[in-house]
Amino acid sequence: MTQEPAAQAPSPKVALLRFGAVVAASGPVILTTFGVGRQSVGWFCSTAAPDFYPAEGPYELAGPYALVGPSGLGVYAPHDLPGELLFWAVLLLPIAVAALVLNGSRRATLAAVATIAAVLAYGLVVAFVLPGPDPCTGREHAVAPPWPLIISYPMAAGALYLAARSSPTRRKYGMILWAGAAVAAAWAAMFHRLPATYDRFLSAVYVAKASTWNGLAWWSSDADKIGLPVVIVALAAAATATAPPRWKRRAGIAAAAALLLFVLLDIVTSTSLESDPFGLIFADAVRWHLLLAAVLVASAAWHPQMSSSRS
């Protein structure tokens, strides 16, 4: 048995461009997680609350809303489906870009540029031509430029285009582990988003932001549904493909630790309740899918980077 040499490491500039491209492709998810640009994308409220509801509160722009319900396409499907597809395109784009960066070839890098351009073009069409109804009121969604996409995606495409000029650096190790981590991280986005009810009251009754701790728990739940854990997985995958060898495993462990923070918050919150004799609240409150995602990310980061072949 002989061990093949590892793929040639990219220059620091090229590695930074590739990692920066994944960060920029994640921009819309990161920005909306922290409340920036939500009014310009279709899965959040775009209109102000009615006068008979409080004008301020944690639910004023709550979301993201599932525009297509779990029971399938409803009566509003022709209007809601484009926005739902855009939500998934925005969420999965960082994973697609990271996977192509892991591939490392010039062709894959240019494919990532084309994918980013396609999602941006589709987002502009949805925003200006197919805005659909507002998920909170049912009225026509306000037409607004999707600034998170407009700002982030050209930066990502430009960084990848510059990186495509460099020599290829193929690293396809651990792809199954990364894919599994991405699926686990997207679990809340798939199954836990609130359906669009066109009723502001239904989106507000379950929120009680009485303290900083409750506010942190609320933000954590919101971030999970928006897709921040998916971005963490994508950034970890990109870091393992572009970082210097001594930092690759550290990047994976850091990402796994970030995912575990969500789980730790769930554990602390559930154990702080006054009574749960049968552990039912604890079992339902802890986001076990993020624990699985953390394990898979750590496993992928520690996956052997050297392949062996028979001499």
Side-chain angles (χ1 to χ4, degrees):
M1 298 288 288
T2 60
Q3 196 173 49
E4 295 178 354
Q8 181 182 1
S11 68
K13 180 180 178 180
V14 172
L16 184 61
L17 284 172
R18 290 174 177 167
F19 182 76
V22 179
V23 174
S26 307
V29 176
I30 297 173
L31 290 174
T32 54
T33 296
F34 291 94
V36 179
R38 291 188 177 187
Q39 297 91 335
S40 64
V41 292
W43 46 91
F44 291 93
C45 305
S46 66
T47 57
D51 295 336
F52 52 87
Y53 293 133
E56 297 180 357
Y59 49 83
E60 184 175 355
L61 288 173
Y65 290 91
L67 303 179
V68 176
S71 58
L73 302 179
V75 65
Y76 297 102
H79 301 291
D80 292 339
L81 185 58
E84 183 73 8
L85 293 177
L86 180 60
F87 169 81
W88 284 105
V90 170
L91 178 62
L92 298 180
L93 183 62
I95 291 293
V97 173
L100 292 168
V101 167
L102 279 172
N103 180 282
S105 67
R106 291 189 182 93
R107 185 174 298 177
T109 303
L110 293 176
V113 174
T115 302
I116 293 170
V119 175
L120 175 59
Y122 180 66
L124 294 175
V125 170
V126 171
F128 292 108
V129 182
L130 304 168
D134 186 279
C136 293
T137 65
R139 298 190 293 268
E140 184 176 355
H141 200 284
V143 176
W147 291 114
L149 282 65
I150 293 173
I151 294 172
S152 300
Y153 290 168
M155 296 173 59
L160 283 175
Y161 180 76
L162 294 176
R165 301 178 180 179
S166 65
S167 59
T169 54
R170 298 178 179 272
R171 287 189 177 91
K172 296 184 178 181
Y173 55 86
M175 292 298 289
I176 295 178
L177 294 174
W178 289 119
V183 171
W187 193 262
M190 288 189 287
F191 300 111
H192 295 166
R193 283 184 296 148
L194 292 173
T197 61
Y198 306 145
D199 189 332
R200 290 301 303 255
F201 181 73
L202 291 181
S203 67
V205 293
Y206 73 101
V207 178
K209 192 175 182 180
S211 66
T212 302
W213 185 260
N214 288 337
L216 181 60
W218 162 255
W219 177 87
S220 172
S221 175
D222 212 28
D224 192 12
K225 297 169 187 173
I226 294 171
L228 186 61
V230 179
V231 166
I232 293 174
V233 172
L235 294 178
T240 58
T242 59
R246 65 179 181 276
W247 289 101
K248 295 183 187 297
R249 290 180 176 177
R250 296 180 185 178
I253 296 302
L259 294 170
L260 288 176
L261 286 178
F262 288 85
V263 181
L264 179 62
L265 179 61
D266 293 339
I267 294 175
V268 173
T269 301
S270 61
T271 55
S272 64
L273 299 176
E274 293 183 359
S275 62
D276 183 19
F278 301 104
L280 298 178
I281 297 178
F282 177 83
D284 291 337
V286 176
R287 283 168 283 190
W288 303 108
H289 59 277
L290 293 184
L291 177 61
L292 175 61
V295 171
L296 291 174
V297 165
S299 300
W302 284 77
H303 191 277
Q305 300 180 19
M306 302 286 287
S307 61
S308 59
S309 63
R310 294 185 183 275
S311 55

